[in-house]
């Protein structure tokens, strides 16, 4: 091929330009730490990056949901634990009163039971994060109210039932509350306490039916407590699962997205050397023509 | 014409020949860097010999022609490459702009904004009683709507720019076609007087190169040496005249038509073809995808939202979350902006009930698009990866055409380009020839003197 000066300088410029372009790209990769900065850099990887980023955002959201749900379930479980303990004290009083005693003692027992009733009500109206935890979905209203004559406990007329569940994955939700209906069987627990107190005030021991009901009520409270505990355990397991998933997702994302600094530095060095060589050669050959030797 | 006078005449012809040789060489050197210039060569030939009894006696040298060295076939290939490169580079430029406008993958692209809204619905499901959760939902939804607006406004702006680009390209084509017609007339005039118009031909070839970058023109040469230029089957220029082009909007499509007669001209490639294709096909396609996406979001979210209850007295219900019908006008319902309690979270009006908030968040996983086969996120990701793949393809096309063009330019330069080395050798050759011819004349002069002294 016949080579003219223009071909030499054109090709020279072209090569230097290409090398510079690669250097600029490598520098951008190193500065941003990212191998893929726009979809066309690598459409397949970019698709994966977008999907993984979304999965990561969802994962973080689910972790937040689980954390919040765990808080709610944990408070519910602890509070119910307190309720069961309180009911145990009530049960002990009932047992003592059933075993017969002096007239004055009935009064004392009745006062104790009345005290326990107040405490139980305050437990049933516990608030957490501004929500009444036993209000069902009526979280803003007081679930249970004791009448002034302390003879009846009434539910919130809008109800104390209803399930609250939080989304914990793309398809699953986890129940995080125990409603007032579930925990206190409507107002049955309170009604029982009032009934026993009134019996004791009448200076008679609790009846067989009452004792049986107290035993059943205690069993019920224990059972609900353990249900709430199982929610906490389930949410703990989910936290662990989500954490593992997050680690994996971040690994994948990093593999698709992050530039390998060592590799970039090596490539950059290589390109720098090539650029130097090209410029050096250019400086030697570009100005040379026969003219230089015709003196 | 033999004898001493004959030798003198040969010397004179030789001097002229060598001088013109230097002339041509210096013209080449002067134009070594002129774009489109083809090196020229002086063709010398022996003059008619004289028949003597002892044989044919040479009578010297004469100049036949000055020719340019040019390969028409490579010109054609260069022009084809120019056309493809023009198309691919314009598409790469425009689609690259769209790609940059999507700002993906990032924390501020539409994808992230949609995820943010759905996460806000989940946060609402955690604390449906708190107005902060509702605020967050409304904020996220407004930001997402703004992102939709920004994207569509960007596309509209781009279409406006491209319409201007189209007009500029059409004007350029008109100007070049007229220039080619003018050059053609000069070439025909010179040709009629029997001279090859080397420099004018170079200019015409360069104009044709320029033209081929702009559009997929067909070029042929008629028997008189004038070019015929046609575009999409429409004759634009011949030795008898030329016609102009202009743009015309038909419906939503920008087309190229002939000036005055408004006959449509199909431009398929070149810069103009590339611009028209993106303007009329690609961008409307993207716009409709964004509209489909926005419309699916509006319809489904509204459907779920209107069935739910917010907080307040009376408890708001039956309210649409979004207003608008597409990417251009999607917006959070003013009723909700004015009263964030209208954001629905509950399925029965109980403030702690989060069923509707959860259902709104779950819209993210519903297969709403592509004939109930894609979620909103998948549809959008598909759009982005399509765009990315297209940009990559056209950019690669442009790059490979650039390489092809470089090869062809080198080939052309190898035939037509000026080599200083070569010209130096020519210069020395002609200079020595000139010296030698002068020496011949000197010798003849001395011969005359010798004869005169004999007298």
């Amino acid at each position: 091929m016949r080579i003219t000066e223009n071909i030499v300088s054109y090709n020279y410029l072209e090569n230097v330009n290409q090398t510079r372009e690669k250097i600029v790209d490598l520098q951008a990769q190193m500065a941003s730490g990212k191998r893929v900065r726009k979809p066309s850099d690598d459409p397949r990887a970019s698709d994966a990056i977008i999907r993984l980023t979304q999965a990561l955002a969802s994962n973080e959201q689910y972790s937040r949901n689980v954390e919040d749900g765990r808080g709610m379930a944990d408070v519910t479980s602890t509070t119910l634990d307190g309720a069961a303990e309180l009911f145990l004290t009530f049960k002990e009083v009932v047992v003592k009163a059933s075993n017969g005693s002096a007239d004055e003692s009935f009064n004392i027992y009745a006062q104790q039971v009345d005290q326990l009733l107040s405490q139980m009500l305050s437990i049933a109206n516990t608030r957490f994060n501004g929500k009444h935890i036993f209000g069902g979905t009526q979280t803003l209203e007081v679930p249970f109210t004791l009448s002034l004559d302390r003879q009846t406990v009434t539910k919130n007329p809008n109800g104390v039932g209803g399930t609250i569940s939080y989304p914990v994955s793309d398809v699953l939700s986890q129940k995080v509350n125990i409603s007032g209906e579930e925990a206190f069987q409507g107002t049955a627990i309170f009604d029982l306490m009032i009934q026993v107190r009134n019996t004791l005030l009448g200076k008679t021991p609790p009846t067989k039916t009452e004792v049986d009901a107290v035993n059943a009520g205690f069993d019920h409270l224990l059972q609900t407590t353990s249900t709430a505990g199982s929610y906490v355990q389930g949410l703990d397991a989910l936290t662990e699962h989500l954490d593992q998933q997050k680690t994996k997702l971040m690994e994948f994302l990093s593999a698709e997205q992050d530039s390998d600094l060592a590799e970039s530095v090596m490539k950059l060095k290589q390109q720098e050397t090539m650029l130097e060589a090209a410029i050096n050669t250019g400086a030697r050959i570009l100005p040379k023509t026969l003219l230089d030797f015709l003196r | 014409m033999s004898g001493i006078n004959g030798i003198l005449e040969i010397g004179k012809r030789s001097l002229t020949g060598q001088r013109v040789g230097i002339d041509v060489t210096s013209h080449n050197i002067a134009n070594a860097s002129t774009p489109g210039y083809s090196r020229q060569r002086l063709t010398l030939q022996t003059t008619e010999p004289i028949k003597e009894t002892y044989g044919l006696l040479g009578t010297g040298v004469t100049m036949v022609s000055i020719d340019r060295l040019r390969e028409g076939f490579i010109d054609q290939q260069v022009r084809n490459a120019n056309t493809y490169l023009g198309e691919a580079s314009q598409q790469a430029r425009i689609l690259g702009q769209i790609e940059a406008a999507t700002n993906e993958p990032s924390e501020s692209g539409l994808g992230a904004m949609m995820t943010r809204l759905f996460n806000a619905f989940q946060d609402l499901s955690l604390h449906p009683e708190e107005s902060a959760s509702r605020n967050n939902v409304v904020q996220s939804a407004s930001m997402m709507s703004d992102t939709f607006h920004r994207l569509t406004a960007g596309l509209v702006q781009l279409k406006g720019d491209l319409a201007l680009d189209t007009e500029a390209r059409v004007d350029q084509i008109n100007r070049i076609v007229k220039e080619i017609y003018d050059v053609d007339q000069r070439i025909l005039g010179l040709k009629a007087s029997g001279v090859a118009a080397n420099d004018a031909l170079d200019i015409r070839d360069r104009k044709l190169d320029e033209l081929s970058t702009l559009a997929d023109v067909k070029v042929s040469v008629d028997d008189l040496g004038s070019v015929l230029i046609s575009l999409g089957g429409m004759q634009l220029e011949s030795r008898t005249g030329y016609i102009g082009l202009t743009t015309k909007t038909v419906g939503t499509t920008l087309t190229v038509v002939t000036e005055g007669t408004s006959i449509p001209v199909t431009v398929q490639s070149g810069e103009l073809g590339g611009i028209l294709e993106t303007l009329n096909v690609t961008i409307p396609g993207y716009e409709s995808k964004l509209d489909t996406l926005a419309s699916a979001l509006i319809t489904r979210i509204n459907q779920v939202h209107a069935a739910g209850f917010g907080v307040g007295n009376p408890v708001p219900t039956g309210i649409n979350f979004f207003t608008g019908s597409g990417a251009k006008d999607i917006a959070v319902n003013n009723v909700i902006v004015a009263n964030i309690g209208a954001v629905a979270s509950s399925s029965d009006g109980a403030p702690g009930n989060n069923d509707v908030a959860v259902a709104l968040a779950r819209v993210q996983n519903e297969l709403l698009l592509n004939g109930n086969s894609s979620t909103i996120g998948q549809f959008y990701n598909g759009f982005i990866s399509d765009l990315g793949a297209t940009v990559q393809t056209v950019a690669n096309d442009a790059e490979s055409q650039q390489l092809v063009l470089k090869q062809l330019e080198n080939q052309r330069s190898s035939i037509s380009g000026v080599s200083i080395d070569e010209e130096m050798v020519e210069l020395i050759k002609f200079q020595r020839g000139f010296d030698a011819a002068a020496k011949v004349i000197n010798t003849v002069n001395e011969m005359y003197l010798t004869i005169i002294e004999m007298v």
Side-chain angles (χ1 to χ4, degrees), chain A residues 32-66:
Chain A
S32 66
K34 286 184 177 152
R35 192 176 63 84
V36 181
R37 275 154 292 121
K38 48 187 196 312
S40 59
D41 286 344
D42 185 344
R44 188 207 53 77
S46 140
D47 190 44
I49 289 168
I50 294 176
R51 270 188 294 109
L52 288 168
T53 313
Q54 279 166 356
L56 204 55
S58 293
N59 175 286
E60 278 164 9
Q61 179 67 45
Y62 291 136
S63 294
R64 202 151 59 231
N65 299 358
V66 167

Side-chain angles (χ1 to χ4, degrees), chain A residues 24-38 41 257-261 264, chain B residues 105:
Chain A
V24 165
D25 188 56
L26 282 168
Q27 275 172 342
Q29 277 189 25
M30 286 167 65
S32 66
K34 286 184 177 152
R35 192 176 63 84
V36 181
R37 275 154 292 121
K38 48 187 196 312
D41 286 344
Q257 174 173 267
D258 295 349
S259 59
D260 182 341
L261 198 61
S264 299

Side-chain angles (χ1 to χ4, degrees), chain B residues 142-374:
Chain B
S142 309
M143 280 170 75
M144 187 198 76
S145 305
D146 288 347
T147 312
F148 265 114
H149 300 163
R150 189 171 54 70
L151 283 177
T152 47
L155 290 178
V156 169
Q157 164 89 42
L158 188 57
K159 283 202 291 185
D161 290 350
L162 291 180
L164 292 179
D165 271 359
T166 308
E167 273 166 41
R169 297 293 192 289
V170 168
D171 288 348
Q172 236 176 318
I173 290 176
N174 287 343
R175 182 177 56 74
I176 295 173
V177 166
K178 183 187 180 301
E179 283 170 358
I180 291 176
Y181 174 77
D182 291 345
V183 176
D184 247 0
Q185 298 304 309
R186 260 166 53 210
I187 292 171
L188 287 174
L190 284 167
K191 191 143 193 176
S193 58
V195 182
N198 290 331
D199 294 336
L201 285 169
D202 281 346
I203 292 172
R204 189 177 72 185
D205 280 335
R206 193 160 60 82
K207 300 269 175 220
L208 286 170
D209 283 356
E210 265 181 64
L211 192 61
S212 67
T213 305
L214 293 170
D216 49 333
V217 287
K218 297 266 171 296
V219 177
S220 55
V221 181
D222 71 7
D223 42 7
L224 289 181
S226 160
V227 287
L228 299 169
I229 303 171
S230 66
L231 176 57
M234 173 67 63
Q235 182 94 7
L236 293 185
E237 193 264 0
S238 72
R239 66 168 180 272
T240 53
Y242 62 91
I243 55 169
L245 297 174
T246 184
T247 57
K248 186 181 169 191
T249 308
V250 180
T252 55
T253 310
L254 190 69
T255 56
V256 175
V257 297
T258 56
E259 219 163 27
T261 45
S262 276
I263 302 165
V265 176
T266 318
V267 188
Q268 279 178 324
S269 190
E271 290 190 357
L272 188 56
I275 292 172
L276 284 174
E277 160 94 9
T278 22
L279 176 60
N280 290 329
V281 182
T282 318
I283 296 181
Y286 292 157
E287 285 180 316
S288 105
K289 277 198 176 169
L290 284 174
D291 271 336
T292 308
L293 185 64
S295 151
L297 266 171
I298 295 169
T299 315
R300 184 60 187 145
I301 297 241
N302 280 352
Q303 197 181 6
V304 175
H305 189 267
F309 296 81
V311 291
N313 193 14
V315 179
T317 182
I319 294 164
N320 278 341
F321 186 78
F322 284 119
T323 54
S325 59
K328 271 182 208 60
D329 56 359
I330 180 173
V332 180
N333 193 341
N334 277 330
V335 176
I336 289 175
V337 177
N339 167 26
I340 55 165
V343 175
S345 54
S346 163
S347 61
D348 58 3
N353 180 309
N354 66 1
D355 292 349
V356 169
V358 174
L360 285 168
R362 295 277 194 229
V363 168
Q364 185 175 21
N365 305 315
E366 290 177 13
L367 301 173
L368 298 172
L369 290 150
N370 287 339
N372 296 335
S373 69
S374 300

